[in-house]
Amino acid sequence: MAPSFDFPQSLRALEEDGEDNRLYARNPIDIASLRPSQLEEFVKGISFDLSDKELFCIEEQDVFDRVYSLVRGYNGLPATCKVNLVESLRSNLSVLLPNVDSLSRASQGQDDATPVLDRVASHRNALKIYTYFLFTVVLNEEVNITSTNNMKVTASTRKKHPKNSWNWEPQRGRILNLIANSLEIKLALLFGPTGLEENYISFIAKNAFALFENATVLKDSDTKDALCRIIGACATKYQYMAQSCASIMHLVHKYDFVVTHIADAVAGAEKKYADGSLANSLVRDIGRTNPKDYIKDTVGAENVGRLLVELSDRLPKLMSVNIGLLVPHFGGESYKIRNALVGVLGKLVAKAFKDVEGEVNSKSVRLRTKQAMLEILLERCRDVSAYTRSRVLQIWAELCEEHCVSIGLWNELAEVAAGRLEDKSAMVRKSALNLLIMMLQHNPFGPQLRIASFEATLQQYKKKLKELEPDTPSESDMNRLPSFSNTSGNTEVDDVTAGLTKVQQDSLPDSCLPQMEEDLVQKDGCVPDVGNLEQTRALVASLEAGLRFSKCISTTIPTLAQLMASSSATDVENTINLLMRCRQFQIDASEACLHKMLPLVFSQDKSIYEAVENAFITIYIKKNPVEAAKNLINLAIESNIGDLAALEFIVGALVSKGNISNAAISALWDFFCFNISGTTAIQSCGALSILCMAAKSSSAVLSSHLQDIIDIGFGRWAKIEPLLARTACVALQRLSEDDRKKLLSSNGSRAFGILESLITGFWLPENIWYAAADKAIAAIYTIHPTPETFAANLVKKSLRSVFDCSGGEELHNEIGSGSAGILTTVQVERLGRYLFVVSHVAMNQLLYIESCLRKVQKQKVGKEKMNYDFQHANGAMPADTSKEIGINAELGLTASEDAILDTLSDKAEKEIVCGGSTEKNLIGHCAPFLSKLCRNFSLMQKYPELQVSAMLALCRFMIIDACFCDTNLQLLFTVVESAPSEIVRSNCTICLGDLAVRFPNLLEPWTENMYSRLQDPSVSVRKNAVLVLSHLILNDMMKVKGYINEMAIRLEDEDERISNLAKLFFNELSKKGSNPIYNLLPDILGKLSNQNLKRESFCNIMQFLIGSIKKDKQMESLVEKLCNRFSGVTDIRQWEYISYCLSQLAFTEKGMKKLMESFKTYEHVLSEDSVMDHFKSIINKGKKFAKPELKLCIEEFEDKLNKFHLEKKEQEVTARNAQIHQQKIDSMEDFVVTRNAGEANMESDNDEGTDGEVIDPCTEGMIKSVNETSKSRCVESEEHSVASSELTESEPDDTEIQSPNVILRGISTI
C-alpha cells in the first residue's frame, strides 16, 4: 500500500522528506531544462499513464513525481501541455467520484475486509492528490492571469488585451464544480466516522475564499456557483463553521462585490442541507459586534448591512428568528447599519409571515412579531439620521405596494408620512412624497376619496347599523366591534373590509375608476344591504378609516403648495406627481393647488419645466378638443396676472410643439364666436385670450378671423364684458405683417375709428378703461402706418374734452397758480384720462422711435451682408458700389453713419417732452402743466384718484426725458415718501427702478432714499421696493451699497410674501461671482447690531445669510473677521450677536485652528454666560468632525475657555464688590460732612456757655479714621481689583463704619 498523502503547507513542501510515512516528491524533474519537444513528449507520457492505468495510479511514486514536476513548473508550460495535464487530472477525478459509491456497495458484499481497506486507502489518497493538484493549477492560473493583466494595464491602458491561447474559464468552472461534487458525496467510507481531515477542509476552504477576492472570477456563473457550493459544504456539512464565518466577515468588510455571492452561498447551504447554522452564526457574529466599531469602518458597515438585507430576502423565516440579535444595533451611531436593519424588517414583514398554516397559537405569535416589526419601522421614521428616515419611508412604500400594511396602521403611517413632508432633508421629503403616492395608488378605501362623499356614505351606514343593533347592546357585542388601533393592526386589509367588496380594490390603475359612492348610495337615497350586523360594523369601521385617510391627505395640500416653491428640483417634481395622484382620487383642494404650479414654467431647471408641462398636458390638453378648449378658457378666466404670463408661456410652447391640436384651436374660435350654445361673454373673452397666447408662437392662428375680432371684440358683447375690448386690442397687436396689411386694406378706417372711440369715449367703465386704452394705444402704434399723426389727434381730442368746456382757460390758470375751486368731479375724471393718454402716447412714441432705429440698423446690416455675399460669390463688387465704399471710407462717412443715427434718435427722443427749439410740441405743452399739477399738494389730497394719474404721467415723462427727470426728481422723492395713497407710493417706487436703469447717474445720489422705501408702512410699497431693488442689484444696474442691511431686515418682514422675496433675492445674490454676501456679512452684522431688532429676528436673519455661504475658505475667513470685530466693541449685546454668528458657521479643521489662534481678540468677552454658550456650541460641533489630534486640541481649548470664563467672572464679582464698598465709604463721608456742618451751625447759634459741652473722644477718632480712609481710596480700589473674591466679600463687613452713640449736651442752667 502506498504512503498516505497529506496536504502540505505549500507546494514546495512536497519535496521535503518527512519522518512519518507520507507521500512526497522524491525525484522531481526540472522541466525548465527540457526542450519544447521533450516537454511535449513528457506531458504526453503523463497523460497516457493517467488515462491507461488505474485511477489511483497517481499515488505511484514515479507518476506522482512527474505530475508534481509539471504542476510546479505549470506557469512555464505551453498552452497545449496545460490543456493535456489539466484534462487528464480532471477526467480521472470525475471518474473517481462515482467509484466511491461503488466501492461502498462492494465492501458490503465481501467478507474479507483487507483488500477493501487497501482500495479505500488508495481511493482516499487519489482523491486528495487529484484535488490538491487541480486546485493548485487553478490558483496558479489565476495568479498568472492577474499578473499578466496588471503588466498590460501598466504598459498601455489603451491597447486591447490579447486573449489567452486557450479558453481557461470553462476549464476553471468544470474543475471547481468537480471539487464541489467531491465534497457533496458521501465520504464517510473514505475518511471514517471522524470526517474529512482538518488540513483537507482547511486547504479547500482557504483557497475558495481566496478566489472569492477576485471579482473577475465571480463574474463567471459556473465558477461562482462552484465556490458557493464549496463554502456551503465546508461550513455546514463538515463543521468548518468558525473559520468560515471569520473568512466571510473578512471578505464582507473588505470587498463590496462579494456580498450577494456570499448570501447565495449561505442560502444555498441552508437549502441543500436543511441547516441554517451558517446563517445563524453570521447573524450572531454581526449581533455581537460592538456598534461603535461600525462608526469608523463605514465601508464595512455598508457591506454588512447589504449582507443582512440579502439574507433576509433569501432566508426570511430564519432571519425572523434571529432578528432579536440585531435590534440592539438600532441604538448604534452608524446610520448605515440602521438603514440595513429597517431593510431587513421590511423584507421580513413582506416575506416571513405569508405562511398562515399551522396552529392558532403559532399564527398569533407570528402576527404579534410582525406587528412589533411594523411598530419599529414606524418609530424609525423619526430617526436622527436623514438617511435612515428616507430609507424607512422607502421600505414603507414597498410594503404598501405588496399589500403588507394593515388598515390599523394605514392612517398612522399616512400621518407620519405627511409629517415628514416638512423634514429639513430633501431626500426624506422625496421619500415621503413617493410613499404618499404609493399609499394613494394602493389604498384600500376606493378610487375616490372626497371627504363629503365619505361622510355622506358613512352617515347612511351608521343609520343602517343603528337599525340593526339591539336597543341595549351587551358587553359581548361591544367587544366584537372591529378595532383599527395601532395595537390591533394584525388584521389584514382583506380581513377587516370583508363586507366592502364593492369599494376595496387591491391596486388602482392610473385611470380613474368608477365612483365608490355611486355604487354605495343608490338613487333613492338608500344604501345596499351588505350583510349581517358584524359585516355592517366592519363596513362602518372601514368607512371611518377611509374618511380619516382622506382628511389626512387633504391636510397636506398647504404643505404641498409650499413644496412647489422649494429650491430642490426633486421636491417640485414629486410634489407635482403627488398632486396629480390626489387629483385622480379627487382629494379636496388638489385641483386648486395644481393651479399654483403654472409659474414654475419659468424655472431654469429643465426637469421642473418638463414635470409642469407633462402635468399640464395630462390635466388640460389630453382630452377631446372641446373639453381641452374649455379647460384652457377656464384657466384664463381664473388666473391672475402672474398665472396669465405663465399660461401664455406654456401655451406658446405647446402650440409650437404641436401638443395643442388644430381641432382645439377651432374649438376656441367657436367659443369666441358664440358658435357653441351656452357660451358667455366671459368665456368668449377667455377664448380670445388663449388665441392671442397661441398667436405669439404661430401668428397664422388669427388670420382667418380678423373680421370676427373687430365685430365681436368691439361690438355689443364688449359692453357686457369690458375686458373683451382690451383682449381684442391685444389680438390686433399679435397680427402678422401680412394680416396687418390685409386689415388696413379692408377694415383699416373702421378699426382705427373703433380704437379712437374706445380711447376718447366714455362707454367703458372707469376701472376697465385704463387697461383697454393702454392696449389700444399700443395696437395703434403697432398696426398704423403713421401712428404719430393718429396719436396726435387722439391727444388733441382728449385735451379738448377737458379744457374746451366752459371756464377751461380759467381752470388751467387756477391749477397753475395753486388753486382749483371750480374743478368738478367730471373734470377730474376727464383730466385723469387725458393725462393717461398723453403720457402713454409719449411712452409709445419713445418705443416707436427705438423700433424705427432698429429697422434702419437692420436694413443697413442686411445691405452690408448682401454686398459681402455678392463679393464672395463673384470675386469683386460692382464698380459703382466699390467706388462709393472707397470714397466713404476716405471721408470717414462709414463710421459716422451710426453716430448720425444715434444723434437723430436722441433728438427725436428729446423732442417728445421738452423739444429742441423755443416752440414746444404737443406733449411738451403738457409737461409744465403736469409738473405744476403734481406740486399742488392740496389739490392732490382733495382728489387722490387724480394724483394717481398725475404722478403716473409725471413718472413716464421723467423716464422719457433726462432734463425733465432732473428737474422733478426731488418732487418724485417727496411724493414717494409723503403721499397718503399707497397706490401712488407703489407706482413711484416702480418708477424709481425704471429711472435707475435709464438715468443711473441722476439716481445715484438718491440711493439711500430708494432703500428707505423698504421701511414703508404699506405692504405693497415694501413688496415693490424689494422687487425693484432685487432687479437692479441682480442685473448689475445698481451696486450693493452700504444700505443692504435694510434688505436683510425684510427677511423677517411680517408679510410672508415679502419675506420670501427677500430670501429669493439673497439666494440669487449668493450665486453671483464669488458670493457677495461673504463680503457684505460683517457690515450687515455691524448695522443690524445697532438697530432695535428683536433678538429672534436678528438670529433668523444672520442664520439665513450665513447659510448661503457654502465655500470652506470663505467660512474660514469669516471666523477671523468675526473674531476681529470683538476688539472694537464694548456693548455686551453686540458680543452676544457676534458670538452667535460664529456659532452658525460651518467649521472646518482650519476654521477651528483660526478660532484658537484668535483667542486674544475675544478673551475679554468670555465673562458673559450667553457668549460662553455660543462658544460651547462651536466646540461641540468641532468634536463631531475632528480627528484625534484636533480633538485633543479642541479639548485643551475648551479647558482654556472655561478657565478664562471663571477668572473673568471672579474679576467681575471683585470689581462689583469694590464698587459697593466704595459707595458705602462715599455715603459715610457725606454723613460725616453733614454732621460737621450741623455742629458748626449749633456752635454759631449757641452763646458762650458752650464750655459745658462734652465731646465724646471716640467720635474724634472715628472722624480721623474716615479721613484716612478717604485719602487712600484710590490705592484701595486698585487693591480690590486684584484681590480674591473671598477677601473682597468680607471686606465691607470688616470696614463697615457705624454711627457712634454720641450724646450732645446743651448748656446747663445754673
Side-chain angles (χ1 to χ4, degrees), residues 925-945:
H925 279 289
C926 180
F929 163 74
L930 178 61
S931 180
K932 291 178 182 179
L933 178 64
C934 293
R935 294 176 194 275
N936 191 341
F937 296 116
S938 59
L939 181 65
M940 295 294 100
Q941 289 178 2
K942 186 176 180 181
Y943 302 104
E945 297 84 1

Side-chain angles (χ1 to χ4, degrees), residues 356 363 367 370 403 405-407 444 482-484 488-500 504 506 534-535 537-539 542:
V356 296
K363 181 180 178 181
L367 289 175
K370 177 181 178 181
H403 310 290
V405 182
S406 63
I407 287 189
S483 174
F484 294 95
S488 63
N490 343 5
T491 313
E492 295 298 323
V493 172
D494 295 335
D495 297 327
V496 175
T497 58
L500 199 57
Q504 176 183 344
D506 290 339
E534 293 299 327
Q535 291 173 334
R537 283 175 177 166
L539 179 57
S542 301

Side-chain angles (χ1 to χ4, degrees), residues 1256-1277:
D1256 194 340
C1258 66
T1259 304
E1260 194 176 344
M1262 181 194 69
I1263 294 170
K1264 292 180 179 178
S1265 174
V1266 170
N1267 291 334
E1268 290 172 4
T1269 305
S1270 178
K1271 291 177 182 178
S1272 61
R1273 62 174 180 254
C1274 296
V1275 179
E1276 189 174 337
S1277 178

Side-chain angles (χ1 to χ4, degrees), residues 798-917:
S798 180
L799 179 63
R800 283 194 297 270
S801 69
V802 180
F803 294 108
D804 278 0
C805 59
S806 61
E809 192 67 31
E810 183 181 353
L811 174 63
H812 191 290
N813 296 330
E814 286 192 7
I815 291 175
S817 62
S819 63
I822 65 171
L823 191 63
T824 64
T825 304
V826 175
Q827 288 172 329
V828 166
E829 180 183 345
R830 293 186 176 186
L831 181 58
R833 289 194 177 195
Y834 162 68
L835 293 176
F836 179 85
V837 170
V838 70
S839 63
H840 205 62
V841 165
M843 185 63 69
N844 278 273
Q845 184 68 22
L846 176 67
L847 298 176
Y848 178 68
I849 291 169
E850 292 178 351
S851 66
C852 292
L853 177 64
R854 284 194 296 271
K855 285 181 182 178
V856 173
Q857 290 175 339
K858 187 176 180 181
Q859 290 174 358
K860 179 187 172 187
V861 171
K863 184 178 179 181
E864 291 175 353
K865 186 173 184 288
M866 183 180 66
N867 292 334
Y868 180 81
D869 293 340
F870 183 83
Q871 180 183 7
H872 277 265
N874 301 323
M877 286 187 183
D880 296 341
T881 305
S882 178
K883 183 178 179 180
E884 183 181 354
I885 292 175
I887 294 172
N888 288 341
E890 290 179 5
L891 296 176
L893 296 178
T894 305
S896 66
E897 285 183 6
D898 293 333
I900 293 172
L901 284 175
D902 293 339
T903 302
L904 291 174
S905 174
D906 293 341
K907 184 178 179 181
E909 290 179 5
K910 288 179 180 179
E911 287 178 350
I912 295 175
V913 175
C914 292
S917 63

Side-chain angles (χ1 to χ4, degrees), residues 974-1016:
T974 302
V975 172
V976 81
E977 291 175 2
S978 60
S981 170
E982 67 177 35
I983 298 175
V984 172
R985 299 202 305 275
S986 292
N987 289 343
C988 293
T989 302
I990 297 170
C991 172
L992 289 175
D994 295 333
L995 291 174
V997 174
R998 188 156 170 80
F999 309 119
N1001 294 334
L1002 293 179
L1003 269 292
E1004 197 273 337
W1006 299 89
T1007 302
E1008 183 178 359
N1009 300 77
M1010 293 181 67
Y1011 274 100
S1012 65
R1013 294 301 85 228
L1014 295 169
Q1015 302 174 3
D1016 196 279

Side-chain angles (χ1 to χ4, degrees), residues 916-964:
S917 63
T918 56
E919 292 187 4
K920 295 192 178 222
N921 53 26
L922 182 62
I923 298 175
H925 279 289
C926 180
F929 163 74
L930 178 61
S931 180
K932 291 178 182 179
L933 178 64
C934 293
R935 294 176 194 275
N936 191 341
F937 296 116
S938 59
L939 181 65
M940 295 294 100
Q941 289 178 2
K942 186 176 180 181
Y943 302 104
E945 297 84 1
L946 179 60
Q947 187 181 26
V948 173
S949 298
M951 287 305 302
L952 185 60
L954 182 76
C955 291
R956 286 173 173 169
F957 281 6
M958 291 174 68
I959 292 171
I960 294 170
D961 192 87
C963 295
F964 190 79

Side-chain angles (χ1 to χ4, degrees), residues 1082-1094:
D1083 184 50
I1084 293 174
L1085 168 61
K1087 292 192 175 179
L1088 292 183
S1089 300
N1090 295 322
Q1091 291 188 349
N1092 189 21
L1093 272 179
K1094 292 181 181 178

